[in-house]
Amino acid sequence: MNTEPLISINNLAIAFKQGGNIIEVVKGVDISIHRGETLALVGESGSGKSLTAHAIMKLLPYPMAFHPTGNIIFDNKNILDWNQNQMRAIRGNRIGMIFQEPMTALNPLHTIEKQISEVIEQHRGIKRRDTRPLVLDLLNKVKIHNPEQRLSSYPHELSGGQRQRVMIAMALANEPELLIADEPTTALDVTVQREILDLLLELQHDHQLAMLLISHDLGVVKHMANRVAIMRQGEIIEQGPCQEIFNNPQQDYTRMLLNSEPSGTPAKINLDKVDDNHNILETDQLNVTFTLQKNLFGKPIKQLTAVNQATVSLKPGHTLGIVGESGSGKSTLAMAVLRLLKSTGQIIFDSQNITGYQEKQLRSLRQEFQVVFQDPFASLSPRMTVSEIIQEGLKIHTNITPEKREQRVINVMNEVGLDVETRHRYPHEFSGGQRQRIAIARALILNPKLLILDEPTSALDKAVQVQVIDLLRELQHHRGLSYIFISHDLKVIKAISHDIIVMKEGNIVEQGTAETVLTEPKESYTQQLMSASFA
């Protein structure tokens, strides 16, 4: 390894002007990265990780943002002294960046070919008509199947893993010397995550890339990093070789992060709260199909079977975990159970066959089964206060007075660990973990029997994940709730599920108790999921 680092950040501070105030959010950051080396920047949301990365690319909202102290030396020059023209010359050229959420980072109006071609055209001066061979070579390099067919695809036509591969292809298009990977695998399935990370390691080895990896997943960090820097409240509090940080952490905060893994066992069944003589939910031969193509007369001629012959059961007070890759039918099955998607077969909820229920019949039943979505920020209205969000269901399903509604809001906020004094604030004023508690409170206020949780912890830091899982177990035991819990994180599934079903391409390929499925998987696909996990 070259003794001279490719990039070194020295005593960096980042501050923002807000009205007449100056708020310093990052201070005294000292890190460096050599060619062929990966430095992982680890910390909770709001610790300053992404701000530091954006400072390297000068993507902060200047002049509102500024740097009271420090410099960023890249190739012996201080980036902070450069103007926009100088920065354009290295962004996407010598320094590439993979953003956390490819669906928002990619342009929904342009094809994959156009977006990758644009990066090549801007920096290499190659005409658009001559870029296709280079684009195909990049798509092959990032192992996208049938790249010729994908050239004309738009981002929404690709899976999460494919979109992330396109982002990597764009970041690598001009063979950068430094690659910044900001949570590159957060929302991906375990198998796709493993493939993406191994691909990055392979590309790093081939091109001697220096890599800044930002992640809250310590399993990923252990797999990828040579060195680790721990960030808290805008400061680097500890850094060193990866193995040394994991084996002998010096700071209490680092030890807390290392111990912040979902663990423990599913909630103990509260027999005082549940009637164990019947299933809360049963499906029999449940099918969901989507029409892909119709003929001139409107008759379907091409269909996709998203859920095929699904037969599942859930006992009161139990959690059924659903595991599988993107597109396997996990969420589709859950939406069909909620009667939010058309299906054939039978759905029996709390001894009622609701398969043929019309919307009017369903409306009176909907308070019995509620859902919590993956992204709490997207699922909460930014125009409503927390109190309005939580009590919205009460307005639809009950006739109680505003005073009683407000008291129910206060009670449920206390139950999920939220400060009731904050109930008149808006969602953007809360952290990710707090927003997810708001979403859980909104579902619980109607006293449902069944709660469907669709990837409720995947967008959260590990420490916050642990808190949310503990909360869900406590609520389940206290209320006798039944859960359907969808996740690609096997540690989370293991910590909360009594029973598990494994889905692949719309089919249930394996099901049983959590202990049996996770310790003695029979199907090769389940074994593949287990081996791909960093659990």
Side-chain angles (χ1 to χ4, degrees):
M1 188 184 289
N2 193 324
T3 53
E4 195 71 30
L6 175 67
I7 186 166
S8 60
I9 300 175
N10 308 299
N11 195 29
L12 180 71
I14 301 171
F16 290 90
K17 298 170 188 168
Q18 285 193 347
N21 300 321
I22 291 176
I23 302 169
E24 196 168 62
V25 290
V26 170
K27 43 205 163 193
V29 169
D30 284 298
I31 54 175
S32 61
I33 314 171
H34 293 77
R35 293 180 189 276
E37 178 189 44
T38 298
L39 172 72
L41 199 51
V42 178
E44 295 176 284
S45 290
S47 61
K49 307 185 301 293
S50 294
L51 285 174
T52 303
H54 288 168
I56 294 172
M57 300 284 273
K58 289 197 80 171
L59 292 174
L60 296 172
Y62 303 104
M64 187 175 78
F66 67 101
H67 303 285
T69 62
N71 56 48
I72 301 173
I73 307 299
F74 179 73
D75 199 16
N76 297 317
K77 298 178 184 70
N78 184 8
I79 283 176
L80 298 185
D81 292 337
W82 290 3
N83 59 35
Q84 282 300 316
N85 286 334
Q86 289 172 300
M87 285 308 301
R88 281 192 203 102
I90 66 163
R91 281 193 204 118
N93 189 13
R94 299 185 65 191
I95 304 177
M97 188 162 186
I98 304 167
F99 294 95
Q100 181 171 355
E101 180 40 69
M103 195 61 185
T104 54
L106 294 171
N107 190 325
L109 303 177
H110 293 166
T111 64
I112 298 311
E113 179 178 16
K114 185 174 181 183
Q115 296 191 58
I116 301 175
S117 294
E118 194 173 25
V119 177
I120 298 169
E121 192 182 0
Q122 288 287 325
H123 290 284
R124 295 203 212 171
I126 299 172
K127 298 292 184 189
R128 177 69 57 86
R129 63 177 178 269
D130 299 323
T131 58
R132 178 166 286 194
L134 296 171
V135 173
L136 283 171
D137 181 54
L138 281 164
L139 293 179
N140 274 311
K141 200 174 279 185
V142 298
K143 299 179 181 175
I144 282 189
H145 299 300
N146 302 318
E148 293 86 357
Q149 295 175 21
R150 290 300 176 197
L151 290 174
S152 58
S153 296
Y154 291 86
H156 72 274
E157 298 177 295
L158 305 179
S159 70
Q162 288 171 325
R163 286 195 291 267
Q164 197 62 284
R165 287 169 194 269
V166 170
M167 285 293 301
I168 294 171
M170 290 173 70
L172 297 174
N174 297 306
E175 299 181 354
E177 297 159 67
L178 172 65
L179 183 64
I180 301 170
D182 190 356
E183 300 277 10
T185 61
T186 298
L188 301 180
D189 306 315
V190 287
T191 48
V192 180
Q193 175 178 266
R194 174 71 75 160
E195 288 171 7
I196 294 290
L197 295 175
D198 287 345
L199 169 64
L200 286 173
L201 286 174
E202 184 183 319
L203 293 168
Q204 181 181 39
H205 180 265
D206 292 346
H207 300 281
Q208 276 297 290
L209 273 170
M211 197 186 307
L212 176 62
L213 173 70
I214 296 170
S215 182
H216 65 252
D217 190 326
L218 295 171
V220 169
V221 169
K222 202 170 186 179
H223 181 67
M224 295 287 290
N226 305 105
R227 289 187 301 114
V228 178
I230 307 294
M231 201 163 189
R232 184 187 188 196
Q233 296 175 354
E235 297 183 75
I236 303 289
I237 62 163
E238 184 169 1
Q239 64 177 304
C242 186
Q243 195 169 357
E244 192 176 302
I245 293 288
F246 274 84
N247 293 342
N248 188 27
Q250 299 300 304
Q251 299 292 323
D252 290 340
Y253 178 73
T254 308
R255 285 191 281 271
M256 184 276 288
L257 284 181
L258 294 174
N259 292 327
S260 294
E261 292 289 345
S263 59
T265 55
K268 189 178 178 182
I269 310 303
N270 187 346
L271 295 174
D272 294 332
K273 294 286 183 178
V274 301
D275 176 7
D276 212 16
N277 294 321
H278 70 284
N279 290 325
I280 189 72
L281 176 73
E282 294 175 15
T283 71
D284 184 37
Q285 305 289 299
L286 194 68
N287 291 282
V288 180
T289 57
F290 296 111
T291 299
L292 301 178
Q293 194 176 345
K294 296 180 180 179
N295 63 17
L296 289 171
F297 304 102
K299 186 177 179 181
I301 56 175
K302 191 176 180 184
Q303 291 186 307
L304 169 71
T305 301
V307 175
N308 184 37
Q309 306 286 306
T311 299
V312 300
S313 61
L314 174 61
K315 297 174 186 174
H318 285 65
T319 299
L320 175 66
I322 306 182
V323 184
E325 296 176 282
S326 289
S328 62
K330 307 186 299 293
S331 296
T332 305
L333 173 59
M335 293 304 107
V337 165
L338 288 169
R339 287 293 313 276
L340 295 174
L341 285 175
K342 286 184 179 179
S343 60
T344 59
Q346 287 199 329
I347 305 168
I348 298 169
F349 174 74
D350 201 19
S351 301
Q352 301 175 69
N353 188 341
I354 65 171
T355 312
Y357 275 23
Q358 299 303 309
E359 187 53 42
K360 193 173 181 180
Q361 294 169 290
L362 281 171
R363 193 172 294 126
S364 62
L365 195 65
R366 288 214 180 275
Q367 59 186 318
E368 302 285 346
F369 43 82
Q370 291 288 302
V371 63
V372 176
F373 295 101
Q374 177 175 352
D375 185 348
F377 197 62
S379 67
L380 302 177
S381 172
R383 294 182 176 88
M384 296 169 72
T385 65
V386 166
S387 178
E388 290 168 338
I389 288 168
I390 294 173
Q391 66 178 273
E392 191 176 17
L394 290 177
K395 291 181 180 179
I396 296 167
H397 292 286
T398 71
N399 294 315
I400 61 176
T401 63
E403 292 76 18
K404 286 184 178 177
R405 283 202 304 267
E406 192 71 9
Q407 188 56 51
R408 292 264 296 264
V409 169
I410 290 169
N411 293 345
V412 80
M413 285 184 73
N414 278 322
E415 194 175 3
V416 300
L418 286 168
D419 181 0
V420 296
E421 298 301 320
T422 64
R423 66 187 183 278
H424 302 301
R425 295 182 187 173
Y426 291 86
H428 72 272
E429 299 177 80
F430 294 83
S431 69
Q434 288 171 323
R435 286 196 288 262
Q436 200 58 291
R437 288 173 188 264
I438 294 165
I440 292 168
R442 174 176 61 181
L444 289 180
I445 201 164
L446 290 166
N447 295 319
K449 295 177 180 176
L450 172 64
L451 203 56
I452 292 179
L453 301 132
D454 192 355
E455 298 274 14
T457 61
S458 67
L460 305 177
D461 297 324
K462 290 294 180 185
V464 182
Q465 275 190 12
V466 171
Q467 294 169 14
V468 172
I469 294 298
D470 287 344
L471 170 66
L472 289 170
R473 285 191 293 219
E474 184 184 321
L475 290 169
Q476 184 171 40
H477 181 74
H478 176 66
R479 284 175 169 249
L481 280 164
S482 304
Y483 293 152
I484 291 178
F485 196 100
I486 300 167
S487 182
H488 63 256
D489 189 326
L490 294 178
K491 286 182 182 176
V492 171
I493 285 287
K494 184 179 181 181
I496 200 163
S497 301
H498 299 91
D499 302 288
I500 292 176
I501 65 172
V502 182
M503 295 190 73
K504 182 185 181 186
E505 296 172 356
N507 297 289
I508 295 174
V509 295
E510 188 161 358
Q511 59 183 311
T513 65
E515 187 178 1
T516 303
V517 173
L518 293 174
T519 57
E520 301 171 18
K522 294 183 177 65
E523 295 296 318
S524 58
Y525 177 69
T526 312
Q527 293 165 5
Q528 182 188 341
L529 285 178
M530 295 293 294
S531 63
S533 172
F534 293 108

